[in-house]
Amino acid sequence: MIPSGYRSDETRTRPGWLLLGPAFVAAIAYVDPGNVAANVSAGAQFGFLLVWVIVAANAMACLVQYLSAKLGLVSGMSLPEAVGSRMRRPTRLAYWLQAELVAMATDLAEVVGGAIALYLLFDLPLLVGGVITGVVSLLLLIIKDRRGQGMFERVITGLLAVIAVGFLASLVVSAPPVGEVAGGLVPRFAGTESVLIAAAMLGATVMPHAVYLHSALVRDRHGHPDAGPARRRLLRVTKWDVGIAMVIAGAVNLSMVLVAATNLQGRNLTESIEGAHAAVGDTLGSTVALLFAIGLLASGLASSSVGAYAGAMIMQGLLHKNIPLLVRRLVTLLPALVILAIGVDPSRALVLSQVVLSFGIPFALIPLIRLTGDRALMGEDTNHRVTTALGWLVAALISALNVVLIYLTVAG
């Protein structure tokens, strides 16, 4: 069934840049507060050691997000719908449960990040900031429901621009040494903690809920065109959409690591976002620190709404039920508020939430690669053998890192 917003003549005649947008919504997941915590921790603790993780993860994200978008465009189904249609009910419910836990971990990072930003900007208690973040994200979802996906995309893209300015400003004020940045491109670790941070960075960059969501975003925006010129054009536009969005997200993530490595390494308390904000103010000035906090706030608000949107889409695709928006929002919001209420260190909770996310990645990637390589489903747009091989390599690398992480954590 083609969504009501799809018009084939519009696809043929509109300039390509007007068809961009879905990937920018998905890209918000790649610059959420969990990224800030993981990337700042990486730079402050290990300097430029883990720069390669950001670069590698962003390259993986480009491939993964394009495959997700292609699945939605070609099959007319979201990834959860396509997976659910091939599973018996008990298996489908188990699969939904792990996806729901990932959604909760996602919301934890986003709501806690928004709460920290409101604390930094207005000195609000973290619990109050978490409630405000949850309410604002709900309002953004209401905009999507009442004004359509196009308006939602424009609002989220605007917030992405705020995030980019907020974090790239630090890099402009204090440029990192080129030689040390180049040295950070060599893959290596330095003990168990560096593996933990790397897994957090990976979980924050290749986000499971963004993999699930992108297929629905593209399907709902462009519909399900038949094979032919219109579909081929949309697939080309989608490549540009994903490429541009991921370059922006990658630049923001890399800037976080580089700024922390350049200005915060060796300073006390920079493992926390609050400490990093204070250190940025001390070293780069109050204006840059203000932009840092504003970028963090935009990140928390935008990513929380996108995460809740993904959660609703996952639930609908796997449980075949439409859950009221308010109920859907509370399901993943409450655990985050509990964390804030009981006084768990918020920055540590952010990093650990990204580790949880990294364990959910194979459950999204493996079905995605199998489905986009299925000629019966994808027809002439089935993955090339090289693409499929790269997809399996990405899934294997991520899974191997998770196994190593478990071993080192238990052994340590």
Side-chain angles (χ1 to χ4, degrees), residues 77-93:
M77 293 186 287
S78 69
L79 177 56
E81 288 171 344
V83 170
S85 68
R86 298 183 175 212
M87 288 181 173
R88 296 176 180 268
R89 180 176 172 80
T91 307
R92 182 160 45 85
L93 291 178

Side-chain angles (χ1 to χ4, degrees), residues 115-133:
I116 293 173
L118 289 168
Y119 168 75
L120 295 175
L121 288 168
F122 306 110
D123 202 28
L124 291 177
L126 289 175
L127 182 58
V128 174
V131 172
I132 292 174
T133 301

